[in-house]
Amino acid sequence: MSEKKGLSFFTIVSTVICVVFVCEAAAPASAIGNQQFFWWVFLIITFLIPYGLACAELGTAYESEGGIIDWIREGLGDKWAARASYYYWVNYPFWIASLATLFPYIMTTIFGFDFESNIWITLAVELAFTWIVTFMAFSPVSDSEAVLNGGAILKVAIAIVVGCLGIWFASANGFANDMSAATFLPDLTNTSALGYLSIIIFNFMGFEVICTMADDMKNPKIEIPRAIILGGIAIAAIYLFASFGIGVAIPADEIDPDFGMVVAVETMVGNGFVYKAIAVAFLATMFANMASWSFGVNSVAAYAAQTGNMPKVFGKMNPKTGMPDGAAITNGVVTSLILCIQLIPNDFIANNIFWMLFSLSLVFLLLTYIPMFPAFINLRKNDPNRYRIYEFPFKGTMMKVALYVPMIELVLAVIATVCPLSMDEVADKVPMLIGLVVFLVIGEVFRIVSAKDRTEEYHGLTPELAAQRLAEEAATEK
């Protein structure tokens, strides 16, 4: 029998980096100032490690096309699986839309032509990006190794270059920010900085996406936890180096959360060849990032539709490629509609479009992960005899503490992102809060309508059902 062909381990790790490392998120994180380094280390220990290791156990013990949604469904039942499915999906159109709004500005700085002079030209550029990403999602993941590997290499290269430029710039011109020891300590009174902490957590999200690619791996039970651990270490180092580069070039209170990375490079080297090369590479990583995320998001949405937790349109598969074209097309349509809000003459929308859309994207993504942690605990309790090639390192009370801490951090991050923590934030955050409430209501409508396609409500894996499944699996192996 010939050896099973699949993705190389290099491609798997590259996928982790391509999916999880988000260049455009480095600038908002840098806006926190030097205290970001404390929060990076703190959240690596309290969030990234327990979250990543929980994904490693779930991904190897419960292999499925649904990934995190299937884990939540097994642990908490259809109701929470439906909510998580919607949150996971709706974050993606908002994310595509937010990145699309960066394109006209960056292309203007590269080519000199004013792509922002007319709203219709701006919208045309944004829609072109949206539908290129949509059509890229029609290709099977096994045919897209060049996208995944290339995207990862470009992202790492950009981060290293920005970090190196920062060191060079600081040595020649001094630091743009106060580098005294006190500035590296957390300031809980700085509510605007606390609002950006969700960006750091967001920068850790995405490990579970590779679990949806298990069928394309040679040995997923070994490769998934290895890729998560090695990828997590690499990503943490890359982020810290890139953030340092931005932080030494621009004062924290002047960092633009929309264009911070490219503006930092322009500040250090001017608008010459080096800047243009990095800007072009930055644009290329946007395509790679959206393509790599589409594989996971669309597969999860299709799986949720098949279990009656999302509308049927998301479950439409291409008979030739096996890809969830229904979810991909829906993404393109919804993203296009979201971008059309720029046609409303409003100064707040015009000046804050990227951060408004990006913050809604990251909030919905964070909401997706909140039920994953109690679902993990329930699965450990109700399915104790399942074979786990990799196990979360703690048990009992220590396990609950290690898992509830990141869950609480997610809740606090959501609150800090969309809820005004001071009167100065009311004007900026109330529109985002309203948008969140509106789309949460739409999600509940999705859940209720989708439930009509189910013959019965699944309430999660019980000890009796778990024992029955293990007996059936043992009989099948014999």
Side-chain angles (χ1 to χ4, degrees):
M1 182 180 294
S2 61
E3 183 182 359
K4 175 186 175 182
K5 294 183 179 181
L7 300 173
S8 67
F9 185 69
F10 175 78
T11 297
I12 296 168
V13 175
S14 295
T15 302
V16 174
I17 295 175
C18 190
V19 170
V20 178
F21 180 58
V22 182
C23 288
E24 64 274 11
S30 300
I32 301 173
N34 287 336
Q35 60 177 304
Q36 68 163 314
F37 295 100
F38 168 87
W39 290 116
W40 275 109
V41 175
F42 178 82
L43 290 171
I44 285 172
I45 295 172
T46 62
F47 183 86
L48 175 61
I49 293 177
Y51 153 69
L53 297 183
C55 285
E57 176 175 325
L58 291 170
T60 53
Y62 299 92
E63 295 180 25
S64 74
E65 295 180 1
I68 184 175
I69 304 305
D70 197 43
W71 306 337
I72 293 172
R73 183 171 185 266
E74 293 289 0
L76 301 176
D78 276 324
K79 183 178 293 185
W80 277 104
R83 290 191 176 110
S85 299
Y86 171 78
Y87 302 155
Y88 197 64
W89 164 72
V90 80
N91 107 87
Y92 187 64
F94 275 113
W95 194 1
I96 299 176
S98 69
L99 297 191
T101 64
L102 300 181
F103 247 74
Y105 169 83
I106 297 177
M107 290 182 68
T108 296
T109 63
I110 295 173
F111 300 109
F113 178 78
D114 189 0
F115 289 93
E116 298 180 296
S117 60
N118 184 289
I119 184 59
W120 295 106
I121 296 176
T122 298
L123 194 59
V125 172
E126 295 169 351
L127 291 175
F129 169 77
T130 296
W131 285 98
I132 290 173
V133 168
T134 299
F135 286 119
M136 288 176 69
F138 293 156
S139 301
V141 63
S142 56
D143 295 335
S144 305
E145 291 192 43
V147 172
L148 300 173
N149 292 338
I153 292 171
L154 275 178
K155 288 183 178 186
V156 173
I158 291 173
I160 292 175
V161 169
V162 170
C164 290
L165 286 176
I167 295 173
W168 166 79
F169 187 85
S171 64
N173 302 281
F175 292 101
N177 291 288
D178 179 7
M179 302 300 289
S180 62
T183 63
F184 288 85
L185 298 176
D187 180 7
L188 298 180
T189 64
N190 188 345
T191 57
S192 60
L194 293 176
Y196 287 122
L197 289 183
S198 57
I199 289 291
I200 297 180
I201 296 179
F202 170 82
N203 288 333
F204 294 143
M205 296 298 190
F207 283 123
E208 78 291 339
V209 169
I210 64 169
C211 297
T212 66
M213 300 161 58
D215 290 342
D216 295 292
M217 299 179 187
K218 295 179 181 179
N219 191 343
K221 290 185 179 293
I222 299 295
E223 291 171 327
I224 288 176
R226 284 177 57 197
I228 288 175
I229 293 172
L230 293 178
I233 293 173
I235 289 164
I238 294 168
Y239 269 127
L240 288 171
F241 195 58
S243 297
F244 172 79
I246 296 173
V248 299
I250 303 177
D253 58 356
E254 297 179 13
I255 292 177
D256 186 339
D258 294 7
F259 311 105
M261 178 171 279
V262 290
V263 170
V265 174
E266 189 175 18
T267 299
M268 291 185 282
V269 300
N271 194 5
F273 173 78
V274 174
Y275 166 79
K276 286 180 169 59
I278 293 176
V280 169
F282 183 77
L283 294 180
T285 64
M286 292 186 189
F287 286 107
N289 207 61
M290 290 297 94
S292 58
W293 264 90
S294 72
F295 300 136
V297 170
N298 293 345
S299 295
V300 166
Y303 172 84
Q306 292 162 8
T307 57
N309 287 317
M310 284 284 281
K312 290 182 178 179
V313 64
F314 291 92
K316 185 178 180 181
M317 309 295 290
N318 187 309
K320 294 183 179 180
T321 64
M323 297 296 289
D325 287 359
I329 294 173
T330 304
N331 290 337
V333 171
V334 173
T335 302
S336 300
L337 293 174
I338 291 172
L339 288 169
C340 286
I341 67 172
Q342 296 172 96
L343 298 176
I344 302 173
N346 182 282
D347 289 340
F348 177 82
I349 293 177
N351 297 326
N352 299 276
I353 185 65
F354 169 80
W355 180 244
M356 182 176 68
L357 297 178
F358 189 63
S359 64
L360 285 173
S361 170
L362 72 87
V363 163
F364 276 110
L365 188 63
L366 299 187
L367 287 173
T368 304
Y369 291 84
I370 292 174
M372 187 193 84
F373 297 98
F376 180 99
I377 294 172
N378 281 352
L379 288 172
R380 269 291 191 92
K381 180 179 66 175
N382 295 334
D383 195 11
N385 297 321
R386 174 169 292 276
Y387 175 63
R388 293 167 167 86
I389 193 168
Y390 176 84
E391 290 192 7
F392 193 77
F394 302 118
K395 296 181 180 180
T397 302
M398 283 294 294
M399 179 188 72
K400 292 180 179 179
V401 171
L403 294 173
Y404 278 128
V405 166
M407 186 181 74
I408 293 171
E409 288 173 340
L410 287 173
V411 173
L412 295 177
V414 169
I415 294 172
T417 302
V418 297
C419 295
L421 301 179
S422 67
M423 292 303 298
D424 295 336
E425 297 178 327
V426 171
D428 292 336
K429 290 190 175 181
V430 166
M432 293 187 289
L433 182 59
I434 293 173
L436 174 63
V437 172
V438 169
F439 278 91
L440 284 175
V441 172
I442 294 174
E444 288 301 299
V445 174
F446 266 46
R447 180 180 66 82
I448 294 171
V449 171
S450 300
K452 295 180 180 180
D453 296 328
R454 296 198 297 265
T455 56
E456 61 179 340
E457 183 85 5
Y458 182 61
H459 296 287
L461 194 63
T462 62
E464 294 76 19
L465 182 55
Q468 178 184 335
R469 288 187 183 180
L470 289 176
E472 291 173 351
E473 291 172 5
T476 301
E477 292 177 359
K478 292 181 179 180

